C-alpha cells in the first residue's frame, strides 16, 4: 500500500503527461516558456483571482508575497506554530518576526479568536495555514485584518481545490499561496508553487520579484529572487489539471468513508460545514502514537506525522517564543497521525486501514466494520 499513490496517478494520465513534457522538449523554452502563461491563466480562472504568478516553490511563494507587501525588519507577522516550517521560515527570511497564535483543537487551523490579542503596532500581516487541505476561518481572520489595516496571506500549500463559503482556496485574502510539491493534491514532479491576488499592483510586484526584481530585461526596479517555476513543471501541472476535479471528488469520497468508519470511535480532524477540504492528509488523533504506528507498519500500512514538533519548539525557532506555551498545538503534535489517502486508494484498502487503526487504538467492537460503499 502506498501512502500517496503517485504511480497510479501517472499511469492514469501517462499519455497526456508525456505529450506535455515532449512539447516542452520540442520547443526548448525551459524557462518562462508558453506553458507558464497558460498555467497561470488556467489557475487564475480556477480560483477566481484576477492574477496568478507561478513560482519555484510554495516556500518561495510565501517569501515573494511578504516582499511584495513590503514586510521586513522591524515588522511582525502573526501565524501558527502548528505547520510545516516554511510558514515561519519565510517570515524570518525577509527579516521580520513571526508571532504565534495557537490553533483550534478540531481542525489544527489558527484560532481566529486569539489573533487580535497578538496584534501590535509592528504587525503587518497574518498568515493562516489551510492545514491538511481545509481553509482556516478566513472570514473572521479577514475581518480582524481589515479592522487593523493588515494584509492576509493564505498559506494554501495543502489546500488548492478546497473552498471556504463557496470561494476557492487561493482567492480568500489579500494574497494566496500554494505549492505543487509532488505529494500535494495538485503536484508536479519537482518543486513548484503559485501566488494569487486580485490586486494589480501586488501582481506586478510579485511578477517582478520572481525574476530578480526585473521589470524588463536587465532593468531591475526592486529587490528580487530567482523564483521562476520551470516550464517543464508547469506542463506537468497542466496535464494533471485535466483529472483534478475527479481526483478531488475521489479524495473526498475516501475521506467520507474514513469518517463513517472512524469518527464514532477515534478523534478526527474534521472538515467544518462552511468549507470543503482536498484532504492533503487524513489525520486522526491517537495516544501512544509510536506504538500505533508500529502496529500499522507491521500490517503493511504506511503512516505519516504532520507535524511532530511545533515550530516554537524547533531548535532554530525556540528563541522566538521563549517561555510561551501553545497547548493545543503541543497536544496535536504529540497525537496526530495521517493515514493513506489518494484518489486511487481502493475501498478494500480504506476498510483495511480503518480496521487496523481501531484495533491499534484499542477500540473493541462486535466484529470488523464494513466499508460504507464501493469507491469510484
Amino acid at each position: 500500500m502506498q501512502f500517496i499513490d503517485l504511480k497510479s496517478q501517472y499511469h492514469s494520465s501517462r499519455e497526456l503527461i508525456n505529450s506535455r513534457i515532449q512539447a516542452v522538449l520540442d520547443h526548448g523554452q525551459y524557462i518562462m516558456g508558453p506553458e507558464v502563461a497558460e498555467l497561470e491563466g488556467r489557475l487564475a480562472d480556477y480560483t477566481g483571482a484576477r492574477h496568478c504568478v507561478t513560482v519555484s516553490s510554495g516556500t518561495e511563494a510565501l517569501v515573494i508575497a511578504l516582499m511584495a507587501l513590503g514586510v521586513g525588519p522591524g515588522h511582525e507577522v502573526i501565524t501558527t506554530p502548528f505547520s510545516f516550517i516554511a510558514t515561519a521560515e519565510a517570515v524570518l527570511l525577509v527579516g521580520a518576526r513571526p508571532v504565534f497564535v495557537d490553533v483550534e483543537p478540531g481542525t489544527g487551523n489558527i484560532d481566529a479568536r486569539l489573533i487580535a490579542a497578538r496584534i501590535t503596532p509592528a504587525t503587518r500581516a497574518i498568515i493562516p495555514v489551510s492545514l491538511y487541505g481545509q481553509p482556516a476561518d478566513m472570514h473572521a481572520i479577514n475581518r480582524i485584518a481589515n479592522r487593523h489595516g493588515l494584509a492576509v496571506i493564505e498559506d494554501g500549500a495543502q489546500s488548492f481545490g478546497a473552498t471556504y463559503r463557496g470561494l476557492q482556496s487561493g482567492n480568500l485574502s489579500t494574497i494566496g499561496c500554494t505549492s505543487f510539491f509532488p505529494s500535494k493534491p495538485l503536484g508536479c514532479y519537482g518543486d513548484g508553487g503559485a501566488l494569487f491576488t486580485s490586486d494589480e499592483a501586488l501582481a506586478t510586484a510579485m511578477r517582478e520579484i520572481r525574476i530578480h526584481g526585473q521589470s524588463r530585461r536587465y532593468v531591475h526596479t526592486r529587490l528580487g529572487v530567482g523564483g521562476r517555476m520551470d516550464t517543464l513543471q508547469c506542463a506537468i501541472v497542466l496535464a494533471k489539471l485535466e483529472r483534478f476535479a475527479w481526483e478531488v471528488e475521489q479524495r473526498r469520497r475516501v475521506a467520507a468513508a474514513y469518517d463513517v468508519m472512524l469518527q464514532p470511535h477515534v478523534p478526527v480532524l474534521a472538515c467544518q460545514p462552511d468549507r470543503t477540504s482536498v484532504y492533503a492528509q487524513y489525520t486522526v488523533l491517537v495516544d501512544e502514537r509510536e506504538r500505533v504506528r508500529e502496529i500499522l507498519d507491521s500490517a503493511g500500512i504506511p503512516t505519516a506525522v504532520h507535524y511532530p514538533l511545533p515550530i516554537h519548539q524547533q531548535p532554530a525557532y525556540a528563541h522566538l517564543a521563549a517561555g510561551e506555551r501553545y497547548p493545543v498545538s503541543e497536544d496535536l503534535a504529540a497525537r496526530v497521525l495521517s493515514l493513506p489517502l489518494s484518489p486511487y486508494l481502493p475501498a478494500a484498502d480504506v476498510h483495511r486501514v480503518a480496521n487496523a487503526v481501531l484495533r491499534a487504538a484499542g477500540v473493541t467492537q462486535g466484529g470488523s466494520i464494513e466499508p460504507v460503499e464501493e469507491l469510484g
Side-chain angles (χ1 to χ4, degrees):
M1 187 186 303
Q2 307 264 337
F3 183 73
I4 298 172
D5 190 356
L6 294 178
K7 290 182 180 179
S8 293
Q9 184 192 53
Y10 169 68
H11 288 301
S12 72
S13 300
R14 184 203 311 248
E15 290 186 9
L16 185 54
I17 291 171
N18 289 352
S19 66
R20 278 286 190 175
I21 291 172
Q22 188 62 52
V24 178
L25 296 176
D26 289 340
H27 67 57
Q29 298 177 55
Y30 300 114
I31 302 297
M32 300 303 291
E35 287 80 3
V36 175
E38 182 184 355
L39 179 61
E40 289 176 347
R42 291 280 301 276
L43 296 178
D45 288 345
Y46 184 95
T47 62
R50 289 181 59 196
H51 304 280
C52 170
V53 181
T54 55
V55 292
S56 56
S57 70
T59 306
E60 204 68 17
L62 291 167
V63 171
I64 291 171
L66 290 163
M67 292 176 70
L69 290 166
V71 176
H75 297 155
E76 295 176 351
V77 177
I78 291 174
T79 191
T80 163
F82 190 55
S83 174
F84 182 59
I85 202 71
T87 310
E89 179 182 51
V91 177
L92 287 169
L93 285 172
V94 300
R97 178 178 179 269
V99 173
F100 298 121
V101 167
D102 210 353
V103 298
E104 303 168 333
T107 67
N109 281 326
I110 193 168
D111 192 333
R113 299 169 301 177
L114 306 178
I115 290 175
R118 299 292 276 165
I119 294 172
T120 74
T123 307
R124 291 296 180 274
I126 305 169
I127 304 182
V129 177
S130 296
L131 197 71
Y132 302 149
Q134 173 182 201
D137 190 353
M138 297 300 290
H139 178 71
I141 294 166
N142 287 331
R143 190 170 61 238
I144 294 165
N146 291 337
R147 193 160 61 237
H148 293 272
L150 305 174
V152 177
I153 302 169
E154 182 198 7
D155 182 344
Q158 301 175 25
S159 61
F160 187 84
T163 63
Y164 174 86
R165 300 189 179 186
L167 296 174
Q168 290 287 337
S169 175
N171 189 28
L172 301 175
S173 57
T174 317
I175 299 173
C177 301
T178 198
S179 167
F180 302 124
F181 188 78
S183 63
K184 304 301 182 186
L186 181 62
C188 55
Y189 291 155
D191 276 314
L195 295 134
F196 302 92
T197 188
S198 291
D199 185 298
E200 189 79 36
L202 285 175
T204 297
M206 294 188 297
R207 288 193 181 100
E208 293 178 0
I209 291 167
R210 75 167 168 185
I211 311 179
H212 302 285
Q214 186 173 261
S215 57
R216 64 181 191 274
R217 191 165 178 79
Y218 298 133
V219 177
H220 303 269
T221 53
R222 63 182 84 230
L223 180 65
V225 298
R228 298 163 296 201
M229 185 170 171
D230 295 341
T231 307
L232 276 167
Q233 300 300 346
C234 289
I236 290 162
V237 176
L238 280 166
K240 288 191 176 187
L241 266 175
E242 300 305 318
R243 285 177 65 86
F244 184 59
W246 178 87
E247 288 188 350
V248 169
E249 180 58 28
Q250 287 302 112
R251 284 179 170 275
R252 290 173 181 157
R253 293 185 72 190
V254 171
Y258 273 143
D259 282 346
V260 170
M261 291 183 270
L262 293 175
Q263 274 194 356
H265 313 287
V266 177
V268 171
L269 292 183
C271 189
Q272 299 302 295
D274 62 348
R275 62 206 79 167
T276 64
S277 177
V278 287
Y279 295 98
Q281 290 86 31
Y282 186 91
T283 303
V284 299
L285 304 178
V286 295
D287 297 321
E288 300 181 51
R289 182 173 61 205
E290 288 312 304
R291 181 187 63 81
V292 172
R293 292 193 78 185
E294 288 175 6
I295 293 171
L296 295 176
D297 183 65
S298 67
I301 296 171
T303 59
V305 177
H306 309 92
Y307 301 93
L309 192 65
I311 297 174
H312 69 284
Q313 294 180 338
Q314 296 285 349
Y317 295 76
H319 68 283
L320 299 170
E324 295 180 2
R325 294 292 307 276
Y326 302 94
V328 180
S329 296
E330 292 164 20
D331 178 67
L332 291 178
R335 300 175 64 210
V336 290
L337 184 66
S338 296
L339 307 179
L341 191 151
S342 83
Y344 305 92
L345 187 65
D349 283 350
V350 177
H351 180 216
R352 182 159 73 91
V353 171
N355 272 308
V357 168
L358 294 176
R359 288 194 299 270
V363 176
T364 57
Q365 308 181 110
S368 65
I369 50 179
E370 295 300 323
V372 290
E373 62 174 304
E374 185 65 29
L375 301 173

